[in-house]
Amino acid sequence: RYFGLIAQDVEKVFPEVVMTSNSNDGQKGLSCIGLEAVVVEAITEQQARIKVLEGELKKLGGLSGNK
């Protein structure tokens, strides 16, 4: 199974990882190396936020033993 991203969609959020060809066709591509760093950082931030929210739920008694 393969997954992909549309360069034009990524460009709206992270233009620094999108390259446009030098020809007149306007083809765009992604620099996977630059994108990987962005994704890892986003996942790290998301996991930190999840831990905070789990702590808040636990304080409120809404998380009973679930991880």
Side-chain angles (χ1 to χ4, degrees):
R1 219 164 112 172
Y2 295 96
F3 298 94
L5 299 169
I6 298 171
Q8 289 82 351
D9 291 342
V10 175
E11 187 174 35
K12 295 173 188 174
V13 183
F14 300 108
E16 61 273 11
V17 299
V18 177
M19 302 166 291
T20 303
S21 70
N22 292 332
S23 62
N24 291 332
D25 64 5
Q27 273 191 324
K28 295 186 182 280
L30 296 173
S31 169
C32 292
I33 294 171
L35 190 57
E36 289 170 353
V38 170
V39 171
V40 168
E41 180 63 26
I43 291 170
T44 302
E45 290 176 7
Q46 183 181 45
Q47 289 304 111
R49 182 66 180 141
I50 288 170
K51 285 185 179 187
V52 168
L53 292 172
E54 285 177 341
E56 290 177 11
L57 272 175
K58 200 170 190 176
K59 287 179 189 175
L60 295 172
L63 193 63
S64 55
N66 294 335
K67 286 191 173 189

